[in-house]
Amino acid sequence: MNKNQFINYLSKRLNTTIKNTQNYLNETKLLIIDILQKGEKLCLRDFGNFALVEKNERIYFNPQTHGKILVPAKKMIVFRQSKRLIVMIG
């Protein structure tokens, strides 16, 4: 399912216009980004957790060229699904 299909499906479920549903979805994305930028964790009960994790720099070994490359430190977004979501999906 792509974004437009999701918006259409959600607008029917919420019984609202597609434009309002797009606005809800965009605001939700911006809110999640704001929470993660502040370094906070977002916990959605029975769904999962979003968190920002810092990965340390490391040395990567390229097996083809036998060279070593320094991979810089970076921040990654991690989503961990809840046990209940796993059970619900089956």
Side-chain angles (χ1 to χ4, degrees), residues 67-83:
K68 294 181 181 179
I69 301 170
L70 180 66
V71 178
K74 61 182 174 180
K75 295 180 181 179
M76 294 181 61
I77 298 172
V78 177
F79 174 75
R80 291 195 177 100
Q81 70 273 14
S82 71
K83 291 180 184 178

Side-chain angles (χ1 to χ4, degrees), residues 57-72:
E57 69 178 16
R58 61 186 175 88
I59 296 174
Y60 170 75
F61 178 75
N62 186 336
Q64 241 178 352
T65 63
H66 299 288
K68 294 181 181 179
I69 301 170
L70 180 66
V71 178

Side-chain angles (χ1 to χ4, degrees), residues 2-3 5 17 37 45 51 54 70-71 75 79 82 87:
N2 64 30
K3 182 180 175 182
Q5 291 170 333
T17 65
Q37 282 179 337
R45 188 176 180 104
E54 291 189 32
L70 180 66
V71 178
K75 295 180 181 179
F79 174 75
S82 71
V87 170

Side-chain angles (χ1 to χ4, degrees), residues 4-69:
N4 288 333
Q5 291 170 333
F6 179 72
I7 289 172
N8 288 332
Y9 179 75
L10 187 60
S11 69
K12 289 176 186 173
R13 293 276 308 250
L14 295 176
N15 201 17
T16 185
T17 65
I18 291 175
K19 188 67 177 169
N20 283 343
T21 306
Q22 285 176 333
N23 291 337
Y24 295 149
L25 185 60
N26 288 335
E27 284 300 315
T28 303
K29 288 191 302 187
L30 292 174
L31 185 61
I32 292 171
I33 291 168
D34 284 345
I35 291 169
L36 293 175
Q37 282 179 337
K38 291 177 185 175
E40 298 176 16
K41 185 176 176 181
L42 176 62
C43 301
L44 301 173
R45 188 176 180 104
D46 296 334
F47 186 71
N49 301 326
F50 291 92
L52 192 63
V53 176
E54 291 189 32
K55 297 285 185 174
N56 295 330
E57 69 178 16
R58 61 186 175 88
I59 296 174
Y60 170 75
F61 178 75
N62 186 336
Q64 241 178 352
T65 63
H66 299 288
K68 294 181 181 179
I69 301 170

